[in-house]
């Protein structure tokens, strides 16, 4: 744990050096077709019965037809690969052609002159998403960091504005408890931000640009003929300064208050490119408040993957999506912390973005740089689907990936690296089924980590029952009315394998949905 002048170990996850990368083989880039869908045209237009028997004989599920051209769209069975299914279908005498449902990539390129150097945006397929959605100005991303250069020409039009507040009069005009919180608030407390527009008064502060760099990745202005483009250039950035000083460090109390401030003032997404090894129940409770209020939280896994690899918080709290860093070849960065809480990987090596003074800098590396790529995608999802809930955003981001490393979830890439075509191919999850969002099945919780469960709220559920079969024999039953559960740090858990079933129950105690997960301790 790093300490500094009595501040606790919350440090920024930026590395300003390029580190050697761990090789995991090549990344094929964005996938080029829907992972479970095929398109079929028959030699003769079939009847409904013929379509049904064709689907049955090939274990397909009919989705829809395009009658004008007599093309039929089917879902293949679980576990089968599209390429194999297409080869098999093409051999069927009834079939004129069978092919994958290809994803067409946008030809759209923003006019921001540095866009060609933004490998991160093209690698994860942002131009594909931009054809559909650039972000809605009602969606606010709170950047809990060192502050934002409010005058940066690529950010000045991107800032959240508290229109009920008058800046610069040292008065709390809107009565929300914070003076002059016009674009956000300075919880780190130098008093220079945001009213003065300066980010940090300490001129030799190495991390002065950290929050500005993170913010540019999320939402730098697009098509303004300057600099770069952010991922979600249509959304707004809330500057919540919780870190300061020469090390870019801050207190849990300021971070917790920043989280509740962002939640109360309309943020849909919180980006936390920061962390430390101590568990803070204050931070935990602030994040619980944010999660209960439909806020999605992205947090950096940490940069200690090659130096002890400790579990770091807030990424490892159940409410945060923990993000690891990949390089431009799609390999995991050696510095990227890896553990049972990692959920996805995103670009975080040699990232170009905005820095204070109206400038830009490439070469920034860290899980700090990966996290805003996930926050930006979450902001696009909130913009795409009116009324989407945070658990749906989390679920789509877990599924909207290219699997990397060991097959399925692994502790380096989590579910995989985020990918826009895959996100767009993922349907909105239903609240009629119960889906345990974390932990991944079969993982091992380290002795020191907070074993926790998060599932989706189920429609019509009055309560949830968690039944755990214990390695010592017997079962342990917990009833709760919230869709998550964290084992308290003081609670002893014997080593061994646990099987946990979560049931959603209606008001009369009937089970309406359930899911089971196993893990080891
Ligand atoms: Ca105020
Ligand atoms: Ca004021
Ligand atoms: Ca720009
Ligand atoms: Ca994997």
């Amino acid at each position: 744990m790093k300490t500094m002048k009595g501040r606790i170990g919350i440090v920024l996850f930026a590395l300003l050096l390029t580190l050697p990368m761990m090789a995991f083989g090549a990344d094929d880039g964005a996938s080029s077709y829907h992972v479970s869908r095929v398109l079929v045209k028959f030699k003769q237009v079939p009847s409904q019965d013929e379509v049904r028997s064709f689907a049955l004989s090939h274990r397909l599920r009919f989705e829809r037809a395009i009658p004008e051209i007599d093309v039929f769209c089917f879902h293949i069975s679980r576990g089968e690969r599209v390429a194999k299914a297409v080869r098999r279908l093409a051999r069927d005498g009834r079939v004129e052609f069978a092919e994958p449902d290809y994803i067409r990539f946008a030809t759209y390129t923003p006019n921001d002159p540095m866009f060609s150097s933004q490998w991160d945006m093209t690698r994860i397929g942002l131009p594909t998403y931009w054809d559909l959605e650039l972000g809605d100005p009602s969606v606010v991303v709170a950047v809990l960091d060192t502050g934002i250069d409010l005058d940066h020409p690529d950010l000045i039009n991107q800032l959240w504005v508290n229109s009920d507040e008058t800046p610069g009069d040292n008065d709390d005009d809107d009565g929300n408890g914070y003076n002059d919180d016009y674009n956000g608030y300075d919880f780190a407390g130098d008093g220079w931000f945001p009213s003065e527009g300066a980010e940090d008064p300490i001129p030799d502060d190495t991390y002065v640009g950290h929050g500005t760099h993170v913010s540019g990745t999320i939402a730098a202005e697009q098509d303004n003929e300057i600099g770069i483009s952010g991922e979600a250039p249509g959304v707004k950035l809330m500057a919540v300064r919780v870190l300061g000083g020469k090390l870019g460090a801050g207190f849990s109390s300021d971070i917790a208050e920043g989280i509740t401030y962002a939640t109360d003032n309309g943020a849909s997404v919180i980006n936390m490119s920061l962390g430390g090894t101590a568990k803070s129940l204050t931070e935990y409770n602030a994040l619980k408040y944010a999660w209960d209020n439909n806020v999605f939280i992205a947090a950096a896994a940490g940069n200690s993957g090659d130096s002890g690899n400790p579990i770091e918080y807030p990424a490892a709290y159940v409410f945060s999506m923990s993000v690891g860093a990949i390089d431009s070849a799609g390999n995991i960065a050696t510095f990227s912390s890896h553990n049972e809480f990692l959920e996805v990987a995103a670009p975080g090596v040699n990232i170009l973005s905005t820095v204070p003074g109206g400038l830009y800098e490439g070469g920034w590396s860290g899980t700090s740089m990966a996290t805003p790529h996930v926050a930006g995608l979450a902001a696009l999802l909130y913009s795409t689907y009116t009324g989407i809930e945070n658990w749906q955003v989390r679920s789509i981001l877990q599924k909207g990936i290219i699997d990397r490393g060991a097959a399925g979830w692994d502790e380096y890439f989590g579910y995989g690296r985020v990918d826009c075509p895959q996100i767009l191919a993922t349907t909105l999850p239903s609240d009629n089924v119960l889906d345990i969002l974390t932990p991944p099945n079969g993982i091992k919780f380290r002795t020191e980590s907070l074993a926790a469960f998060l599932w989706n709220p189920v429609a019509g559920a009055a309560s949830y029952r968690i039944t755990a079969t214990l390695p010592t024999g017997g079962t342990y039953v917990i009833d709760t009315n919230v869709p998550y559960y964290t084992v308290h740090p003081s609670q002893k858990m014997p080593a061994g394998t646990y099987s946990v079933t979560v049931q959603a129950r209606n008001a009369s105690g009937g089970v309406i949905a359930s899911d089971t997960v196993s893990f080891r301790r």
Side-chain angles (χ1 to χ4, degrees):
M1 190 170 92
K2 292 187 182 176
T3 54
M4 178 206 165
K5 291 178 187 167
R7 289 186 173 192
I8 71 155
I10 300 294
V11 294
L12 292 165
F13 281 154
L15 297 173
L16 299 174
L17 303 168
T18 304
L19 296 171
M21 299 305 125
M22 192 180 295
F24 272 86
D27 184 342
D28 299 332
S31 94
S32 56
Y33 49 79
H34 194 287
V35 290
S36 66
R37 212 152 58 194
V38 292
L39 302 175
V40 176
K41 185 167 186 179
F42 297 95
K43 288 174 180 161
Q44 287 176 349
V45 179
S47 69
Q48 279 189 14
D49 278 351
E50 285 166 340
V51 171
R52 214 171 288 138
S53 78
F54 176 82
L56 199 64
S57 66
H58 288 288
R59 293 190 300 134
L60 304 173
R61 183 168 58 78
F62 172 74
E63 186 189 284
R64 69 199 147 105
I66 310 170
E68 293 85 350
I69 54 173
D70 296 319
V71 170
F72 293 77
C73 180
F74 296 97
H75 276 272
I76 60 176
S77 58
R78 251 196 178 169
E80 189 170 31
R81 301 182 76 89
V82 165
K84 197 175 161 216
V86 162
R87 279 198 302 274
R88 185 165 47 76
L89 294 172
R91 287 196 298 268
D92 187 307
R94 293 167 284 185
V95 170
E96 180 181 321
F97 67 75
E99 64 179 7
D101 192 359
Y102 290 109
I103 294 166
R104 290 305 179 209
F105 293 90
T107 49
Y108 183 74
T109 307
N111 69 25
D112 309 77
M114 295 177 175
F115 180 73
S116 58
S117 302
Q118 290 186 274
W119 71 264
D120 47 332
M121 298 293 159
T122 42
R123 163 61 69 179
I124 62 174
L126 257 308
T128 310
Y129 211 127
W130 291 337
D131 262 7
L132 175 75
E133 180 66 62
L134 291 168
D136 190 280
S138 69
V139 174
V140 177
V141 180
V143 180
L144 270 66
D145 212 292
T146 59
I148 302 175
D149 176 3
L150 303 177
D151 299 321
H152 197 293
D154 238 353
L155 297 173
I156 194 167
N157 298 322
Q158 309 301 90
L159 302 169
W160 169 74
V161 170
N162 180 0
S163 52
D164 297 327
E165 181 67 48
T166 307
D169 64 356
N170 197 29
D171 200 18
D172 180 18
D173 306 281
D174 65 342
N176 69 349
Y178 300 95
N179 288 1
D180 296 351
D181 59 321
Y182 188 64
N183 299 125
Y185 195 73
D186 179 7
F187 294 91
D190 304 279
W192 283 58
F193 168 87
S195 55
E196 301 288 322
E199 190 190 82
D200 192 309
I202 304 170
D204 62 349
D205 182 349
T206 314
Y207 288 102
V208 68
H210 191 271
T212 301
H213 201 276
V214 164
S215 297
T217 296
I218 297 169
E221 190 171 354
Q222 188 178 88
D223 272 342
N224 60 348
E225 299 187 333
I226 54 166
I228 59 159
S229 173
E231 277 194 352
V235 307
K236 295 299 177 191
L237 296 162
M238 183 188 284
V240 183
R241 187 169 184 272
V242 296
L243 305 169
K246 291 185 180 182
L247 286 182
F251 293 107
S252 279
S253 57
D254 291 335
I255 292 165
E257 198 177 352
I259 292 165
T260 57
Y261 173 87
T263 304
D264 290 344
N265 289 280
S268 296
V269 178
I270 288 177
N271 187 94
M272 288 192 290
S273 291
L274 55 88
T277 53
K279 302 175 187 79
S280 159
L281 291 175
T282 302
E283 284 175 10
Y284 178 89
N285 278 283
L287 287 170
K288 176 171 166 320
Y289 178 78
W291 186 261
D292 287 343
N293 284 284
N294 200 26
V295 175
F296 172 87
I297 302 117
N303 293 342
S304 303
D306 52 0
S307 53
N309 195 39
I311 303 267
E312 305 208 27
Y313 302 88
Y317 300 125
V318 73
F319 307 110
S320 310
M321 181 169 244
S322 175
V323 183
I326 55 163
D327 65 12
S328 61
N331 297 324
I332 198 75
T334 48
F335 63 73
S336 190
S337 294
H338 45 96
N339 56 57
E340 61 269 38
F341 299 102
L342 197 85
E343 282 187 38
V344 289
V349 176
N350 284 331
I351 303 299
L352 168 70
S353 189
T354 43
V355 291
L359 302 173
Y360 301 86
E361 248 175 51
W364 285 54
S365 299
T367 50
S368 271
M369 280 59 252
T371 306
H373 286 90
V374 171
L377 293 174
L380 287 174
L381 285 167
Y382 276 101
S383 303
T384 306
Y385 298 99
T386 309
I388 193 171
E389 296 187 21
N390 53 359
W391 67 268
Q392 291 174 307
V393 172
R394 182 105 164 239
S395 175
I396 290 175
L397 290 173
Q398 287 179 355
K399 294 179 180 119
I401 48 93
I402 302 280
D403 188 11
R404 301 280 297 132
W409 181 92
D410 67 80
E411 68 173 22
Y412 292 91
F413 293 90
Y415 290 95
R417 73 123 169 100
V418 290
D419 186 69
C420 289
Q422 293 298 332
I423 288 169
L424 292 171
T426 302
T427 48
L428 200 63
S430 158
D431 63 359
N432 289 318
V433 292
L434 193 150
D435 189 17
I436 297 174
L437 295 168
T438 191
N441 197 40
I443 61 110
K444 184 176 191 303
F445 282 115
R446 296 185 207 180
T447 314
E448 71 274 20
S449 60
L450 282 174
F453 308 87
L454 179 81
W455 58 93
N456 59 294
V458 173
S463 68
Y464 301 94
R465 173 162 292 178
I466 304 165
T467 307
T469 62
L470 308 176
T472 48
T475 56
Y476 189 69
V477 177
I478 304 150
D479 286 310
T480 172
N481 53 14
V482 290
Y484 44 80
Y485 183 79
T486 297
V487 178
H488 193 273
S490 67
Q491 217 169 321
K492 291 278 173 279
M493 287 177 66
T497 300
Y498 292 74
S499 176
V500 171
T501 298
V502 180
Q503 296 173 330
R505 301 180 152 230
N506 59 24
S508 47
V511 177
I512 51 177
S514 73
D515 192 14
T516 298
V517 69
S518 288
F519 66 90
R520 284 174 299 136
R521 178 69 151 189

